[in-house]
Amino acid sequence: MLKKEVILEGLDCANCAAKIEDEVNKLNGVKAYMNFMNKTLTLEIESEQEYKNILQQVKTIVHKHEPDVVVKEKSVNKSNKKVLILEGLGCANCAAKMEKEISGLEGVEFAAVDFVSKKLTLEISPKVNRSELNEKIEGIVKKIEPDVKVIFEENNSKTKINENNDEEEEGVNKKEIIRLVVGGAIFAVGIIFNFQNWLELTLFIISYIIVGGEVVLRAIKGIARGQVFSEHFLMSIATIGAFFVGEYPEGVAVMLFYLVGELFQDIAVGHSRKSIRALMDIRPDYANLKVGDEIRKVSPEEVNIGDIIIVKPGEKVPLDGKVIEGNSMVDTAALTGESVPRELGPGDDALSGFINKNGVLTIEVTKDFGDSTVSKILDLVQNASSKKAPTEKFITKFARFYTPIVVFGALALAIIPPLVIPGATFSTWIYRALVFLVISCPCALVISIPLGFFGGIGGASKRGILVKGSNYLDALNNVETVVFDKTGTLTKGIFEVVDVNPQADFTDEELIEYAAFAESHSSHPIALSILKVYNKDVDTTKIEDYEEIAGHGILAKVGGKEILVGNSKLMNKENIKYQEVETLGTIVHVAVDKKYAGNIVISDAVKEDSADAIKGLKALGVRNIVMLTGDSKAVGEKIATQLGIDEVYTELLPTDKVEKIEALDAKKSHKGKIVFVGDGINDAPVLARADIGVAMGGLGSDAAIEAADIVIMTDEPSKIVTAIKVAKRTREIVMQNIVFALGVKAIFLALGAVGVATMWEAVFADMGVAIIAILNAMRVMNTKSI
C-alpha cells in the first residue's frame, strides 16, 4: 500500500473531521486516518495511478462537510519539498495566476500558493537544477506582482510559516472577540434598559446577527450540502426557535455563550498544538556546509552524504554524522529525555537533534536528512495519532449516532407531549426541545478524547519514549506479562574477557589469536570483547574460509588450520571433548583442527537500572516477568535471582524466543497484553510477535525504530515503567472526560426534558463541558507528576 498525506487547511471542527474520515474510508481501495490536531489525512492506496482520482473524491467529501477547508497534498519525500514565502502578496487573483504558471515549469511536480499564509509549497524533481528553478519562480512572481519578495531559505520559511499560523489564529480570535464585545454590548443595552417592544426586538436581532450570523450562514451552507446534523445547525435551530417562542434574550444569550465557548475552545486547542509543536521542535533550521574554505548556511535537505558540516556552540546538529574534529558537550534531552549532557569527540556519532553546548564540532554527514534520526522521530510522533485507540474509535462512532438520535428525540419532545398531555402547550414543550438540542452537541468528547491521547504520546516523547500510535499507548494499560531479552536490555551488553583457560599445548596469546581471527567478521559484543583483548590488526588475507553456524558459533580456516569458536553445542556437534567450566560468565570454547584448545570466559554486567525496572513493574500490577536469553542456564538463573524475575528461559535461539512468546500468549487472559523488550536489532521477529514490541536503546538505531511499536531512546529498562504510568494517566484522564461529559449531558437532558433546565444551563452543559474536558486533556502533557 502506498501512503499519501493531505493537509486540510482551516479544519476546525472535530465532528466534521470524524465524518470526513468515515466517508473517505468507504472509498474503494482506500484506508484513511485523520489527525485532527495536525489537520492531516493519511491515505493508504493500492497504486499511484489511482491517486489523482482518489484525491478528487477526497476533496469532494471534504468540501461537502467543510466548504472553506483547503485540501493540499503533503509531500511524502521530504527532500523534494520546498516551502517559499511570498512576502507582500496582497492579491488573491495574482496568487492564482502565480500558482498556474509555476505548476507548468519543468521539474515542478506540484505547486500550491496559499494566499492566506503567503506560502508557496513546491514538490520538485530530484534532478532539477534548484538555482535555475529559483530564478524562474522569482521571474514569474515579479512579472505578476513586482513588489512581492520571494524568500527561498527554508529555515526562514519554517519560522515564518509557524509565525503566520500563529498570527492567523490570533487574527481569528481578535475578530471573534470584537464580535462578542459589540454584540454583547448591544445585548446588554437591550437587557438593562426598558425599551418599547419593537425597539427591544430590533436590538436583540442586531445583536444576534452580529454574534450568530456566521453560525447561521454555516448551518445553511451545511444543509445545502446535505449535512444537517452539525453543531451550527443545532445552535441555529435552538436560538431562532427561542425567538419564535418569545424568549429573545435567551436566544441571543445562548449564541453569545456558544461563541464564548468556541473562543475558549479554539484558544485551548491552539495552546495544545503549540505545546506539542514546541515539544517536538527538534527539527534543525539550517546546516553550516563547508565548501572548500567557505562556510555556507543551507537547508539540511540540501546536504549530501559525505559532506562536511560545522556545528557551532548553541546550534542544533542538523544531520546524523561522525565527528571528525573538535570536542564538545551536547544536550541530548530532545531525543532521550536525559538532562545530563554527553561528551562528543573525534570518532563519535553525532545525531541530528543534539544541541551543541560549548565547542565547535566538524562532522562528516553519514545520512541524508530524510533518513536522519530527527526526521524519523518527527515523522513517527506526528503520525502517531493516526493509529487510534479503541476508545477513540468508539467515541467517533458514538458521535455519529448520538447527535441524530438526540435531534429526533427533541422533535418528539416538541410534538408528542402537547398532543397527549392535557393542558400542555406547544410553546412550553418546543422550548424544552430547544434546550434539549443545545445540550446535544458531542464536541466535548470528539475533541478532548483524541487530544488526551495526543498529549499522552507527546508527554511520553518528552521523556525519550516514542509511541507509534494511540492504540499501543492504550494497550499498555492491560499489560500482564513483560518479557525481557537479557543482553543489552537488562545487562549492559558490554562484554569483557575475564579469564583465559588454554590447554597444555596452547598459550593464552595463541588461544586469543585463534579466537580473534574467527570472530574478526562478527559485530557481536562477545566478538568485539575478544578483538579488544587481542589489540592487534587482524590480517584477513590469512582467513581462507568463514562460516557462521546459527546458535552455535563460527567455523573459519586460517593459515591452513580449521578453527572452531563457539558454545558447548558447537563442541558436541563436532564431537570434540571439551572442558566444563563452573562460572557465571559466557564461555567461548576454541578448537584447532578438531583438537580442543581451551576456553575464554566473558562476563556482562547487569544495568544499575534493571532492578528498579522489575520492582516498578511489579508495583504496577504486572503479573509475570520473564527473561529470555541465549546464554547458559547458570548465567541466566543467577541474573534472574538477582533481579527478582519470575521465569527465565536459557540457551535459546531466535526462533526459540518466538515459540516462548507464543506459549506465554496462550496463557494470557482475553484482554491481557504481552510486552517484549529487546534491543530491536536481533530481536525483530519477537518484537513483531508480541502484542507490544519495545525496542531498547533506539538512539540512532534504524532497525529499532522500524521493528518496534514503542521505542525507548535510552538504555534504561525503567522507562517501561514510565511508559505504563503515562498510559495509565492518559486513560484515567480520557475516562474522566467521557464520564464527566456524558454524565453532565445526561443530567441536563433529563432536566431540560422536564422543564427544570433553561437554555442558560444548557449552554454550560455543552460549551462549558467542552472547555473543561479540553483543559483536563491538556494535563496529560504535564509529566512532572509521573
Side-chain angles (χ1 to χ4, degrees), residues 8 11 13 15-26 32 34 41 58 61-63 65-66 69:
L8 306 181
L11 182 68
C13 169
N15 206 13
C16 303
K19 289 177 183 175
I20 291 165
E21 181 185 41
D22 183 55
E23 286 192 31
V24 174
N25 266 312
K26 289 174 184 173
M34 176 69 76
L41 179 67
V58 169
I61 290 167
V62 171
H63 290 146
H65 292 278
E66 284 278 355
V69 168

mmCIF file with all atom_site columns, all heavy atoms in Angstrom, residues 8 11 13 15-26 32 34 41 58 61-63 65-66 69:
data_model
loop_
_atom_site.group_PDB
_atom_site.id
_atom_site.type_symbol
_atom_site.label_atom_id
_atom_site.label_alt_id
_atom_site.label_comp_id
_atom_site.label_asym_id
_atom_site.label_entity_id
_atom_site.label_seq_id
_atom_site.pdbx_PDB_ins_code
_atom_site.Cartn_x
_atom_site.Cartn_y
_atom_site.Cartn_z
_atom_site.occupancy
_atom_site.B_iso_or_equiv
_atom_site.pdbx_formal_charge
_atom_site.auth_seq_id
_atom_site.auth_comp_id
_atom_site.auth_asym_id
_atom_site.auth_atom_id
_atom_site.pdbx_PDB_model_num
ATOM 1   N N   . LEU A 1 8  ? -5.458  19.466 5.453  1.00 0.00 ? 8  LEU A N   1
ATOM 2   C CA  . LEU A 1 8  ? -6.786  20.075 5.404  1.00 0.00 ? 8  LEU A CA  1
ATOM 3   C C   . LEU A 1 8  ? -6.701  21.431 6.103  1.00 0.00 ? 8  LEU A C   1
ATOM 4   O O   . LEU A 1 8  ? -6.994  21.560 7.293  1.00 0.00 ? 8  LEU A O   1
ATOM 5   C CB  . LEU A 1 8  ? -7.816  19.169 6.080  1.00 0.00 ? 8  LEU A CB  1
ATOM 6   C CG  . LEU A 1 8  ? -7.875  17.720 5.563  1.00 0.00 ? 8  LEU A CG  1
ATOM 7   C CD1 . LEU A 1 8  ? -8.952  16.945 6.292  1.00 0.00 ? 8  LEU A CD1 1
ATOM 8   C CD2 . LEU A 1 8  ? -8.133  17.681 4.067  1.00 0.00 ? 8  LEU A CD2 1
ATOM 9   N N   . LEU A 1 11 ? -9.301  23.345 8.828  1.00 0.00 ? 11 LEU A N   1
ATOM 10  C CA  . LEU A 1 11 ? -10.182 22.388 9.500  1.00 0.00 ? 11 LEU A CA  1
ATOM 11  C C   . LEU A 1 11 ? -10.223 22.703 10.996 1.00 0.00 ? 11 LEU A C   1
ATOM 12  O O   . LEU A 1 11 ? -9.201  22.651 11.669 1.00 0.00 ? 11 LEU A O   1
ATOM 13  C CB  . LEU A 1 11 ? -9.670  20.953 9.275  1.00 0.00 ? 11 LEU A CB  1
ATOM 14  C CG  . LEU A 1 11 ? -10.522 19.829 9.883  1.00 0.00 ? 11 LEU A CG  1
ATOM 15  C CD1 . LEU A 1 11 ? -11.860 19.723 9.168  1.00 0.00 ? 11 LEU A CD1 1
ATOM 16  C CD2 . LEU A 1 11 ? -9.789  18.496 9.806  1.00 0.00 ? 11 LEU A CD2 1
ATOM 17  N N   . CYS A 1 13 ? -13.323 21.726 12.953 1.00 0.00 ? 13 CYS A N   1
ATOM 18  C CA  . CYS A 1 13 ? -14.484 21.032 13.515 1.00 0.00 ? 13 CYS A CA  1
ATOM 19  C C   . CYS A 1 13 ? -14.151 19.555 13.677 1.00 0.00 ? 13 CYS A C   1
ATOM 20  O O   . CYS A 1 13 ? -14.008 18.833 12.686 1.00 0.00 ? 13 CYS A O   1
ATOM 21  C CB  . CYS A 1 13 ? -15.696 21.220 12.611 1.00 0.00 ? 13 CYS A CB  1
ATOM 22  S SG  . CYS A 1 13 ? -17.095 20.160 13.049 1.00 0.00 ? 13 CYS A SG  1
ATOM 23  N N   . ASN A 1 15 ? -15.949 17.140 14.897 1.00 0.00 ? 15 ASN A N   1
ATOM 24  C CA  . ASN A 1 15 ? -17.047 16.266 14.483 1.00 0.00 ? 15 ASN A CA  1
ATOM 25  C C   . ASN A 1 15 ? -17.023 16.063 12.971 1.00 0.00 ? 15 ASN A C   1
ATOM 26  O O   . ASN A 1 15 ? -17.198 14.951 12.469 1.00 0.00 ? 15 ASN A O   1
ATOM 27  C CB  . ASN A 1 15 ? -18.368 16.901 14.925 1.00 0.00 ? 15 ASN A CB  1
ATOM 28  C CG  . ASN A 1 15 ? -19.451 15.860 15.133 1.00 0.00 ? 15 ASN A CG  1
ATOM 29  O OD1 . ASN A 1 15 ? -19.173 14.671 15.178 1.00 0.00 ? 15 ASN A OD1 1
ATOM 30  N ND2 . ASN A 1 15 ? -20.684 16.301 15.247 1.00 0.00 ? 15 ASN A ND2 1
ATOM 31  N N   . CYS A 1 16 ? -16.769 17.159 12.234 1.00 0.00 ? 16 CYS A N   1
ATOM 32  C CA  . CYS A 1 16 ? -16.683 17.085 10.765 1.00 0.00 ? 16 CYS A CA  1
ATOM 33  C C   . CYS A 1 16 ? -15.509 16.214 10.350 1.00 0.00 ? 16 CYS A C   1
ATOM 34  O O   . CYS A 1 16 ? -15.589 15.448 9.391  1.00 0.00 ? 16 CYS A O   1
ATOM 35  C CB  . CYS A 1 16 ? -16.519 18.486 10.159 1.00 0.00 ? 16 CYS A CB  1
ATOM 36  S SG  . CYS A 1 16 ? -17.835 19.616 10.619 1.00 0.00 ? 16 CYS A SG  1
ATOM 37  N N   . ALA A 1 17 ? -14.387 16.355 11.084 1.00 0.00 ? 17 ALA A N   1
ATOM 38  C CA  . ALA A 1 17 ? -13.189 15.564 10.783 1.00 0.00 ? 17 ALA A CA  1
ATOM 39  C C   . ALA A 1 17 ? -13.497 14.077 10.879 1.00 0.00 ? 17 ALA A C   1
ATOM 40  O O   . ALA A 1 17 ? -13.072 13.275 10.032 1.00 0.00 ? 17 ALA A O   1
ATOM 41  C CB  . ALA A 1 17 ? -12.053 15.938 11.736 1.00 0.00 ? 17 ALA A CB  1
ATOM 42  N N   . ALA A 1 18 ? -14.248 13.690 11.910 1.00 0.00 ? 18 ALA A N   1
ATOM 43  C CA  . ALA A 1 18 ? -14.619 12.280 12.100 1.00 0.00 ? 18 ALA A CA  1
ATOM 44  C C   . ALA A 1 18 ? -15.505 11.795 10.956 1.00 0.00 ? 18 ALA A C   1
ATOM 45  O O   . ALA A 1 18 ? -15.343 10.678 10.452 1.00 0.00 ? 18 ALA A O   1
ATOM 46  C CB  . ALA A 1 18 ? -15.334 12.104 13.438 1.00 0.00 ? 18 ALA A CB  1
ATOM 47  N N   . LYS A 1 19 ? -16.438 12.656 10.516 1.00 0.00 ? 19 LYS A N   1
ATOM 48  C CA  . LYS A 1 19 ? -17.323 12.291 9.405  1.00 0.00 ? 19 LYS A CA  1
ATOM 49  C C   . LYS A 1 19 ? -16.536 12.139 8.100  1.00 0.00 ? 19 LYS A C   1
ATOM 50  O O   . LYS A 1 19 ? -16.770 11.227 7.312  1.00 0.00 ? 19 LYS A O   1
ATOM 51  C CB  . LYS A 1 19 ? -18.414 13.360 9.230  1.00 0.00 ? 19 LYS A CB  1
ATOM 52  C CG  . LYS A 1 19 ? -19.447 13.365 10.340 1.00 0.00 ? 19 LYS A CG  1
ATOM 53  C CD  . LYS A 1 19 ? -20.453 14.497 10.117 1.00 0.00 ? 19 LYS A CD  1
ATOM 54  C CE  . LYS A 1 19 ? -21.461 14.590 11.250 1.00 0.00 ? 19 LYS A CE  1
ATOM 55  N NZ  . LYS A 1 19 ? -22.359 15.746 11.087 1.00 0.00 ? 19 LYS A NZ  1
ATOM 56  N N   . ILE A 1 20 ? -15.576 13.068 7.881  1.00 0.00 ? 20 ILE A N   1
ATOM 57  C CA  . ILE A 1 20 ? -14.745 13.009 6.676  1.00 0.00 ? 20 ILE A CA  1
ATOM 58  C C   . ILE A 1 20 ? -13.960 11.699 6.654  1.00 0.00 ? 20 ILE A C   1
ATOM 59  O O   . ILE A 1 20 ? -13.926 10.988 5.642  1.00 0.00 ? 20 ILE A O   1
ATOM 60  C CB  . ILE A 1 20 ? -13.784 14.225 6.599  1.00 0.00 ? 20 ILE A CB  1
ATOM 61  C CG1 . ILE A 1 20 ? -14.565 15.515 6.338  1.00 0.00 ? 20 ILE A CG1 1
ATOM 62  C CG2 . ILE A 1 20 ? -12.718 14.023 5.531  1.00 0.00 ? 20 ILE A CG2 1
ATOM 63  C CD1 . ILE A 1 20 ? -13.786 16.796 6.593  1.00 0.00 ? 20 ILE A CD1 1
ATOM 64  N N   . GLU A 1 21 ? -13.339 11.358 7.787  1.00 0.00 ? 21 GLU A N   1
ATOM 65  C CA  . GLU A 1 21 ? -12.561 10.114 7.873  1.00 0.00 ? 21 GLU A CA  1
ATOM 66  C C   . GLU A 1 21 ? -13.436 8.901  7.565  1.00 0.00 ? 21 GLU A C   1
ATOM 67  O O   . GLU A 1 21 ? -13.033 8.005  6.820  1.00 0.00 ? 21 GLU A O   1
ATOM 68  C CB  . GLU A 1 21 ? -11.956 9.978  9.276  1.00 0.00 ? 21 GLU A CB  1
ATOM 69  C CG  . GLU A 1 21 ? -11.119 8.718  9.443  1.00 0.00 ? 21 GLU A CG  1
ATOM 70  C CD  . GLU A 1 21 ? -10.623 8.535  10.864 1.00 0.00 ? 21 GLU A CD  1
ATOM 71  O OE1 . GLU A 1 21 ? -11.401 8.790  11.810 1.00 0.00 ? 21 GLU A OE1 1
ATOM 72  O OE2 . GLU A 1 21 ? -9.469  8.142  11.025 1.00 0.00 ? 21 GLU A OE2 1
ATOM 73  N N   . ASP A 1 22 ? -14.629 8.890  8.120  1.00 0.00 ? 22 ASP A N   1
ATOM 74  C CA  . ASP A 1 22 ? -15.544 7.767  7.928  1.00 0.00 ? 22 ASP A CA  1
ATOM 75  C C   . ASP A 1 22 ? -15.915 7.605  6.458  1.00 0.00 ? 22 ASP A C   1
ATOM 76  O O   . ASP A 1 22 ? -15.895 6.500  5.906  1.00 0.00 ? 22 ASP A O   1
ATOM 77  C CB  . ASP A 1 22 ? -16.800 7.991  8.782  1.00 0.00 ? 22 ASP A CB  1
ATOM 78  C CG  . ASP A 1 22 ? -17.769 6.818  8.685  1.00 0.00 ? 22 ASP A CG  1
ATOM 79  O OD1 . ASP A 1 22 ? -17.327 5.679  8.950  1.00 0.00 ? 22 ASP A OD1 1
ATOM 80  O OD2 . ASP A 1 22 ? -18.945 7.032  8.348  1.00 0.00 ? 22 ASP A OD2 1
ATOM 81  N N   . GLU A 1 23 ? -16.237 8.721  5.785  1.00 0.00 ? 23 GLU A N   1
ATOM 82  C CA  . GLU A 1 23 ? -16.654 8.657  4.384  1.00 0.00 ? 23 GLU A CA  1
ATOM 83  C C   . GLU A 1 23 ? -15.498 8.289  3.455  1.00 0.00 ? 23 GLU A C   1
ATOM 84  O O   . GLU A 1 23 ? -15.670 7.544  2.499  1.00 0.00 ? 23 GLU A O   1
ATOM 85  C CB  . GLU A 1 23 ? -17.294 9.982  3.955  1.00 0.00 ? 23 GLU A CB  1
ATOM 86  C CG  . GLU A 1 23 ? -18.688 10.156 4.537  1.00 0.00 ? 23 GLU A CG  1
ATOM 87  C CD  . GLU A 1 23 ? -19.448 11.316 3.908  1.00 0.00 ? 23 GLU A CD  1
ATOM 88  O OE1 . GLU A 1 23 ? -19.206 11.610 2.711  1.00 0.00 ? 23 GLU A OE1 1
ATOM 89  O OE2 . GLU A 1 23 ? -20.268 11.940 4.605  1.00 0.00 ? 23 GLU A OE2 1
ATOM 90  N N   . VAL A 1 24 ? -14.292 8.824  3.743  1.00 0.00 ? 24 VAL A N   1
ATOM 91  C CA  . VAL A 1 24 ? -13.128 8.501  2.904  1.00 0.00 ? 24 VAL A CA  1
ATOM 92  C C   . VAL A 1 24 ? -12.788 7.013  3.021  1.00 0.00 ? 24 VAL A C   1
ATOM 93  O O   . VAL A 1 24 ? -12.401 6.366  2.047  1.00 0.00 ? 24 VAL A O   1
ATOM 94  C CB  . VAL A 1 24 ? -11.905 9.379  3.275  1.00 0.00 ? 24 VAL A CB  1
ATOM 95  C CG1 . VAL A 1 24 ? -10.662 8.939  2.511  1.00 0.00 ? 24 VAL A CG1 1
ATOM 96  C CG2 . VAL A 1 24 ? -12.198 10.855 2.971  1.00 0.00 ? 24 VAL A CG2 1
ATOM 97  N N   . ASN A 1 25 ? -12.964 6.455  4.215  1.00 0.00 ? 25 ASN A N   1
ATOM 98  C CA  . ASN A 1 25 ? -12.707 5.016  4.424  1.00 0.00 ? 25 ASN A CA  1
ATOM 99  C C   . ASN A 1 25 ? -13.646 4.130  3.620  1.00 0.00 ? 25 ASN A C   1
ATOM 100 O O   . ASN A 1 25 ? -13.343 2.962  3.374  1.00 0.00 ? 25 ASN A O   1
ATOM 101 C CB  . ASN A 1 25 ? -12.812 4.666  5.915  1.00 0.00 ? 25 ASN A CB  1
ATOM 102 C CG  . ASN A 1 25 ? -11.465 4.715  6.598  1.00 0.00 ? 25 ASN A CG  1
ATOM 103 O OD1 . ASN A 1 25 ? -10.490 4.166  6.093  1.00 0.00 ? 25 ASN A OD1 1
ATOM 104 N ND2 . ASN A 1 25 ? -11.394 5.374  7.732  1.00 0.00 ? 25 ASN A ND2 1
ATOM 105 N N   . LYS A 1 26 ? -14.793 4.684  3.209  1.00 0.00 ? 26 LYS A N   1
ATOM 106 C CA  . LYS A 1 26 ? -15.748 3.909  2.413  1.00 0.00 ? 26 LYS A CA  1
ATOM 107 C C   . LYS A 1 26 ? -15.402 3.894  0.926  1.00 0.00 ? 26 LYS A C   1
ATOM 108 O O   . LYS A 1 26 ? -16.005 3.165  0.146  1.00 0.00 ? 26 LYS A O   1
ATOM 109 C CB  . LYS A 1 26 ? -17.166 4.473  2.613  1.00 0.00 ? 26 LYS A CB  1
ATOM 110 C CG  . LYS A 1 26 ? -17.728 4.166  4.014  1.00 0.00 ? 26 LYS A CG  1
ATOM 111 C CD  . LYS A 1 26 ? -19.062 4.843  4.235  1.00 0.00 ? 26 LYS A CD  1
ATOM 112 C CE  . LYS A 1 26 ? -19.549 4.592  5.665  1.00 0.00 ? 26 LYS A CE  1
ATOM 113 N NZ  . LYS A 1 26 ? -20.765 5.368  5.973  1.00 0.00 ? 26 LYS A NZ  1
ATOM 114 N N   . ALA A 1 32 ? -8.060  5.275  5.482  1.00 0.00 ? 32 ALA A N   1
ATOM 115 C CA  . ALA A 1 32 ? -7.786  6.672  5.851  1.00 0.00 ? 32 ALA A CA  1
ATOM 116 C C   . ALA A 1 32 ? -7.677  6.829  7.360  1.00 0.00 ? 32 ALA A C   1
ATOM 117 O O   . ALA A 1 32 ? -8.392  6.167  8.113  1.00 0.00 ? 32 ALA A O   1
ATOM 118 C CB  . ALA A 1 32 ? -8.892  7.583  5.321  1.00 0.00 ? 32 ALA A CB  1
ATOM 119 N N   . MET A 1 34 ? -7.409  10.067 10.148 1.00 0.00 ? 34 MET A N   1
ATOM 120 C CA  . MET A 1 34 ? -7.479  11.517 10.343 1.00 0.00 ? 34 MET A CA  1
ATOM 121 C C   . MET A 1 34 ? -6.699  11.923 11.587 1.00 0.00 ? 34 MET A C   1
ATOM 122 O O   . MET A 1 34 ? -6.838  11.301 12.647 1.00 0.00 ? 34 MET A O   1
ATOM 123 C CB  . MET A 1 34 ? -8.940  11.951 10.490 1.00 0.00 ? 34 MET A CB  1
ATOM 124 C CG  . MET A 1 34 ? -9.136  13.433 10.801 1.00 0.00 ? 34 MET A CG  1
ATOM 125 S SD  . MET A 1 34 ? -8.680  14.505 9.401  1.00 0.00 ? 34 MET A SD  1
ATOM 126 C CE  . MET A 1 34 ? -10.097 14.261 8.333  1.00 0.00 ? 34 MET A CE  1
ATOM 127 N N   . LEU A 1 41 ? -4.733  14.219 6.764  1.00 0.00 ? 41 LEU A N   1
ATOM 128 C CA  . LEU A 1 41 ? -5.450  12.991 6.467  1.00 0.00 ? 41 LEU A CA  1
ATOM 129 C C   . LEU A 1 41 ? -4.471  12.061 5.751  1.00 0.00 ? 41 LEU A C   1
ATOM 130 O O   . LEU A 1 41 ? -3.952  12.396 4.683  1.00 0.00 ? 41 LEU A O   1
ATOM 131 C CB  . LEU A 1 41 ? -6.658  13.294 5.569  1.00 0.00 ? 41 LEU A CB  1
ATOM 132 C CG  . LEU A 1 41 ? -7.520  12.108 5.138  1.00 0.00 ? 41 LEU A CG  1
ATOM 133 C CD1 . LEU A 1 41 ? -8.241  11.497 6.339  1.00 0.00 ? 41 LEU A CD1 1
ATOM 134 C CD2 . LEU A 1 41 ? -8.541  12.533 4.087  1.00 0.00 ? 41 LEU A CD2 1
ATOM 135 N N   . VAL A 1 58 ? -11.711 12.711 -2.395 1.00 0.00 ? 58 VAL A N   1
ATOM 136 C CA  . VAL A 1 58 ? -11.465 13.207 -1.031 1.00 0.00 ? 58 VAL A CA  1
ATOM 137 C C   . VAL A 1 58 ? -11.849 14.676 -0.942 1.00 0.00 ? 58 VAL A C   1
ATOM 138 O O   . VAL A 1 58 ? -12.504 15.114 0.007  1.00 0.00 ? 58 VAL A O   1
ATOM 139 C CB  . VAL A 1 58 ? -9.985  12.995 -0.622 1.00 0.00 ? 58 VAL A CB  1
ATOM 140 C CG1 . VAL A 1 58 ? -9.669  13.750 0.662  1.00 0.00 ? 58 VAL A CG1 1
ATOM 141 C CG2 . VAL A 1 58 ? -9.690  11.512 -0.443 1.00 0.00 ? 58 VAL A CG2 1
ATOM 142 N N   . ILE A 1 61 ? -15.582 15.074 -0.739 1.00 0.00 ? 61 ILE A N   1
ATOM 143 C CA  . ILE A 1 61 ? -16.098 14.719 0.594  1.00 0.00 ? 61 ILE A CA  1
ATOM 144 C C   . ILE A 1 61 ? -15.809 15.841 1.593  1.00 0.00 ? 61 ILE A C   1
ATOM 145 O O   . ILE A 1 61 ? -16.680 16.253 2.361  1.00 0.00 ? 61 ILE A O   1
ATOM 146 C CB  . ILE A 1 61 ? -15.481 13.383 1.080  1.00 0.00 ? 61 ILE A CB  1
ATOM 147 C CG1 . ILE A 1 61 ? -16.028 12.224 0.239  1.00 0.00 ? 61 ILE A CG1 1
ATOM 148 C CG2 . ILE A 1 61 ? -15.762 13.151 2.562  1.00 0.00 ? 61 ILE A CG2 1
ATOM 149 C CD1 . ILE A 1 61 ? -15.277 10.917 0.412  1.00 0.00 ? 61 ILE A CD1 1
ATOM 150 N N   . VAL A 1 62 ? -14.564 16.351 1.569  1.00 0.00 ? 62 VAL A N   1
ATOM 151 C CA  . VAL A 1 62 ? -14.159 17.417 2.497  1.00 0.00 ? 62 VAL A CA  1
ATOM 152 C C   . VAL A 1 62 ? -15.023 18.660 2.292  1.00 0.00 ? 62 VAL A C   1
ATOM 153 O O   . VAL A 1 62 ? -15.551 19.237 3.240  1.00 0.00 ? 62 VAL A O   1
ATOM 154 C CB  . VAL A 1 62 ? -12.661 17.758 2.345  1.00 0.00 ? 62 VAL A CB  1
ATOM 155 C CG1 . VAL A 1 62 ? -12.305 19.003 3.149  1.00 0.00 ? 62 VAL A CG1 1
ATOM 156 C CG2 . VAL A 1 62 ? -11.793 16.587 2.811  1.00 0.00 ? 62 VAL A CG2 1
ATOM 157 N N   . HIS A 1 63 ? -15.199 19.055 1.027  1.00 0.00 ? 63 HIS A N   1
ATOM 158 C CA  . HIS A 1 63 ? -15.945 20.285 0.738  1.00 0.00 ? 63 HIS A CA  1
ATOM 159 C C   . HIS A 1 63 ? -17.439 20.133 1.015  1.00 0.00 ? 63 HIS A C   1
ATOM 160 O O   . HIS A 1 63 ? -18.137 21.124 1.248  1.00 0.00 ? 63 HIS A O   1
ATOM 161 C CB  . HIS A 1 63 ? -15.697 20.733 -0.697 1.00 0.00 ? 63 HIS A CB  1
ATOM 162 C CG  . HIS A 1 63 ? -14.300 21.239 -0.902 1.00 0.00 ? 63 HIS A CG  1
ATOM 163 N ND1 . HIS A 1 63 ? -13.596 21.070 -2.064 1.00 0.00 ? 63 HIS A ND1 1
ATOM 164 C CD2 . HIS A 1 63 ? -13.455 21.881 -0.047 1.00 0.00 ? 63 HIS A CD2 1
ATOM 165 C CE1 . HIS A 1 63 ? -12.389 21.600 -1.929 1.00 0.00 ? 63 HIS A CE1 1
ATOM 166 N NE2 . HIS A 1 63 ? -12.279 22.095 -0.714 1.00 0.00 ? 63 HIS A NE2 1
ATOM 167 N N   . HIS A 1 65 ? -18.571 18.619 3.658  1.00 0.00 ? 65 HIS A N   1
ATOM 168 C CA  . HIS A 1 65 ? -18.687 18.867 5.098  1.00 0.00 ? 65 HIS A CA  1
ATOM 169 C C   . HIS A 1 65 ? -18.172 20.246 5.495  1.00 0.00 ? 65 HIS A C   1
ATOM 170 O O   . HIS A 1 65 ? -18.733 20.879 6.370  1.00 0.00 ? 65 HIS A O   1
ATOM 171 C CB  . HIS A 1 65 ? -17.900 17.803 5.878  1.00 0.00 ? 65 HIS A CB  1
ATOM 172 C CG  . HIS A 1 65 ? -18.483 16.434 5.784  1.00 0.00 ? 65 HIS A CG  1
ATOM 173 N ND1 . HIS A 1 65 ? -19.525 16.017 6.569  1.00 0.00 ? 65 HIS A ND1 1
ATOM 174 C CD2 . HIS A 1 65 ? -18.184 15.390 4.965  1.00 0.00 ? 65 HIS A CD2 1
ATOM 175 C CE1 . HIS A 1 65 ? -19.836 14.769 6.268  1.00 0.00 ? 65 HIS A CE1 1
ATOM 176 N NE2 . HIS A 1 65 ? -19.040 14.367 5.302  1.00 0.00 ? 65 HIS A NE2 1
ATOM 177 N N   . GLU A 1 66 ? -17.074 20.655 4.873  1.00 0.00 ? 66 GLU A N   1
ATOM 178 C CA  . GLU A 1 66 ? -16.421 21.927 5.239  1.00 0.00 ? 66 GLU A CA  1
ATOM 179 C C   . GLU A 1 66 ? -15.973 22.644 3.965  1.00 0.00 ? 66 GLU A C   1
ATOM 180 O O   . GLU A 1 66 ? -14.840 22.465 3.512  1.00 0.00 ? 66 GLU A O   1
ATOM 181 C CB  . GLU A 1 66 ? -15.207 21.659 6.151  1.00 0.00 ? 66 GLU A CB  1
ATOM 182 C CG  . GLU A 1 66 ? -15.566 21.324 7.590  1.00 0.00 ? 66 GLU A CG  1
ATOM 183 C CD  . GLU A 1 66 ? -15.840 22.569 8.420  1.00 0.00 ? 66 GLU A CD  1
ATOM 184 O OE1 . GLU A 1 66 ? -15.667 23.687 7.911  1.00 0.00 ? 66 GLU A OE1 1
ATOM 185 O OE2 . GLU A 1 66 ? -16.237 22.415 9.585  1.00 0.00 ? 66 GLU A OE2 1
ATOM 186 N N   . VAL A 1 69 ? -12.532 24.596 3.810  1.00 0.00 ? 69 VAL A N   1
ATOM 187 C CA  . VAL A 1 69 ? -11.252 23.904 4.041  1.00 0.00 ? 69 VAL A CA  1
ATOM 188 C C   . VAL A 1 69 ? -10.515 23.719 2.714  1.00 0.00 ? 69 VAL A C   1
ATOM 189 O O   . VAL A 1 69 ? -11.103 23.322 1.712  1.00 0.00 ? 69 VAL A O   1
ATOM 190 C CB  . VAL A 1 69 ? -11.479 22.534 4.729  1.00 0.00 ? 69 VAL A CB  1
ATOM 191 C CG1 . VAL A 1 69 ? -10.219 21.684 4.707  1.00 0.00 ? 69 VAL A CG1 1
ATOM 192 C CG2 . VAL A 1 69 ? -11.925 22.746 6.164  1.00 0.00 ? 69 VAL A CG2 1
#
